[in-house]
Amino acid sequence: MTQAMQEPRIRNGVNVDTMFGTLDAIKAQPELGTFQFRATNRWLGGAHNRSTIKEFYGAGQVDQTRAEPFMLDAGEPPVLLGANEGPNPAEHLLHALAACLTTSLVYVAAARGVHLDAVESTLTGDMDVRGALGLAKDVPNRYQNIRVTFRITSDAPEEKLAEIVARAQQRSAVFDSVSNPVPVTVDFQKAA
Amino acid sequence: MTQAMQEPRIRNGVNVDTMFGTLDAIKAQPELGTFQFRATNRWLGGAHNRSTIKEFYGAGQVDQTRAEPFMLDAGEPPVLLGANEGPNPAEHLLHALAACLTTSLVYVAAARGVHLDAVESTLTGDMDVRGALGLAKDVPNRYQNIRVTFRITSDAPEEKLAEIVARAQQRSAVFDSVSNPVPVTVDFQKAA
């Protein structure tokens, strides 16, 4: 057994051998790429609600690797009629975006052999809440814009980092979901 | 002093008097509706990263009501090369959407005098990860669609609940941000 077979290549905390194995498997069997993510949410009063996240469907099966569910609380600050029960939903959206761009960046760097020492980002999103409050018909409810600034510590040259940041945007699922329209259907049942 | 002045009207956990006061204040001074939400994120290795959320700008000032920052962890399941360090970014997006629709629904109901006993929702989002993995150029990275189903316990008639669910969608900032394109700019600095 050679050393290469015994020791997986880990770059940026990512097992690169597993990464390329996963890519090969999905390339060979495209239906393995079909995923369905899931969340359930329960209202806890006022601005407070909590999501539970555990199973998802992907790679041909329902994932069972999470022994316990993740719980996420959302709230609102007092100025938006809550009691800071958690980050507000618009802030959670910024986190989803930051997390997805960061993971895309780290994975792209790992695949390209670029070592990263540190990755930090700051996000700001402008919103005129008159839209969401129903006070101005010409004001959209959504973020007017979101700005993301990464600060990357790496021995790679700046041009290489620029390529990786660009590719991370091209690959990020949440960046794409926020930048482009996603069809969302909402229905309800009245409990008996 | 009348009883009405002493006891604020609380409906669905929302102070309705404060709500209408807030609406009146922003109506009179539209610039109070200008908000900027903020997050910072730090990579912790592999698929693991953490956002810190504390201050935001809104209603004419930087909000200082949060003594401690909120921390949110993101990760990936093993099949997506992580170790379940947290919900993955796409799952965080579902939570942001669930939370925003729920709070919009609760606030709209409070404003319209509708009492809610319970609100639950389930969300599913379909994604072909071949897009994000760079394995199929014709497959978008984003969610193909997201479905939200509310289950509402209330003494209000079904037609009234249908109106409230419809209005919640019209008012939700995250629903609007996911359903419609938001301009996102990404840049980076290489740390010295």
Side-chain angles (χ1 to χ4, degrees):
Chain A
M1 193 178 268
T2 67
Q3 190 174 15
M5 288 176 71
Q6 289 174 314
E7 295 182 11
R9 289 176 298 161
I10 307 291
R11 195 178 294 124
N12 303 329
V14 179
N15 185 321
V16 180
D17 297 322
T18 304
M19 174 184 275
F20 289 122
T22 300
L23 294 176
D24 287 343
I26 298 178
K27 214 179 291 181
Q29 238 183 304
E31 65 272 22
L32 294 179
T34 300
F35 276 61
Q36 183 185 77
F37 296 110
R38 303 166 183 173
T40 60
N41 183 282
R42 180 185 294 265
W43 174 52
L44 299 174
H48 193 195
N49 62 74
R50 180 175 295 155
S51 290
T52 302
I53 292 169
K54 190 167 184 285
E55 295 181 347
F56 62 89
Y57 178 87
Q61 58 189 330
V62 175
D63 184 87
Q64 303 284 359
T65 61
R66 297 161 171 175
E68 296 296 326
F70 297 115
M71 304 285 207
L72 295 168
D73 277 41
E76 291 288 354
V79 70
L80 294 172
L81 309 170
N84 281 326
E85 304 89 343
N88 89 349
E91 292 172 321
H92 277 289
L93 182 70
L94 293 184
H95 164 61
L97 179 60
C100 198
L101 283 168
T102 298
T103 299
S104 296
L105 193 158
V106 168
Y107 282 14
V108 167
R112 295 185 177 200
V114 171
H115 176 79
L116 303 170
D117 288 305
V119 180
E120 293 174 18
S121 56
T122 61
L123 287 84
T124 58
D126 293 319
M127 187 183 290
D128 187 336
V129 301
R130 288 181 300 156
L133 296 176
L135 294 175
K137 283 196 167 50
D138 55 332
V139 173
N141 306 340
R142 61 186 173 274
Y143 275 118
Q144 293 158 333
N145 59 75
I146 298 173
R147 286 170 308 286
V148 184
T149 303
F150 278 101
R151 181 179 166 84
I152 302 172
T153 311
S154 169
D155 57 8
E158 184 150 354
E159 307 75 58
K160 175 61 80 177
L161 296 180
E163 285 173 28
I164 288 169
V165 170
R167 180 52 58 100
Q169 287 175 73
Q170 290 165 3
R171 291 288 162 77
S172 164
V174 175
F175 176 84
D176 194 21
S177 295
V178 173
S179 301
N180 290 292
V182 172
V184 181
T185 58
V186 180
D187 57 31
F188 83 101
Q189 303 165 353
K190 180 168 152 63
Chain B
M1 190 178 271
T2 67
Q3 189 175 14
M5 290 176 71
Q6 290 174 312
E7 296 183 10
R9 288 176 299 160
I10 308 290
R11 194 179 295 125
N12 302 329
V14 179
N15 186 321
V16 180
D17 296 321
T18 303
M19 174 183 276
F20 288 122
T22 300
L23 294 175
D24 286 343
I26 298 178
K27 213 179 292 183
Q29 240 184 302
E31 64 273 22
L32 294 179
T34 300
F35 276 61
Q36 183 184 78
F37 296 110
R38 303 167 183 172
T40 61
N41 184 281
R42 179 185 295 263
W43 175 51
L44 300 174
H48 193 193
N49 63 73
R50 181 174 295 155
S51 290
T52 301
I53 292 169
K54 189 168 187 282
E55 294 182 346
F56 63 89
Y57 177 86
Q61 59 188 333
V62 175
D63 184 87
Q64 304 284 359
T65 60
R66 296 161 171 177
E68 297 295 328
F70 297 115
M71 304 285 208
L72 295 168
D73 278 41
E76 291 288 355
V79 70
L80 294 172
L81 309 171
N84 281 326
E85 304 89 345
N88 89 349
E91 291 172 321
H92 277 290
L93 182 70
L94 293 185
H95 165 61
L97 179 60
C100 197
L101 282 168
T102 298
T103 299
S104 296
L105 193 158
V106 168
Y107 283 15
V108 167
R112 295 186 176 197
V114 171
H115 175 80
L116 303 170
D117 288 304
V119 180
E120 293 174 18
S121 56
T122 61
L123 287 83
T124 59
D126 294 318
M127 187 183 292
D128 187 335
V129 300
R130 289 181 299 156
L133 296 176
L135 294 175
K137 283 196 166 52
D138 56 331
V139 173
N141 306 339
R142 61 186 174 273
Y143 275 118
Q144 294 158 333
N145 61 74
I146 298 173
R147 287 169 307 288
V148 184
T149 304
F150 278 101
R151 180 179 165 87
I152 303 171
T153 311
S154 169
D155 57 8
E158 184 150 354
E159 307 76 58
K160 175 61 80 175
L161 296 180
E163 284 173 27
I164 288 170
V165 170
R167 180 51 59 99
Q169 288 176 71
Q170 290 165 3
R171 291 288 162 76
S172 164
V174 175
F175 176 84
D176 195 20
S177 295
V178 173
S179 302
N180 291 291
V182 172
V184 182
T185 58
V186 180
D187 57 31
F188 83 101
Q189 303 166 354
K190 179 169 153 64

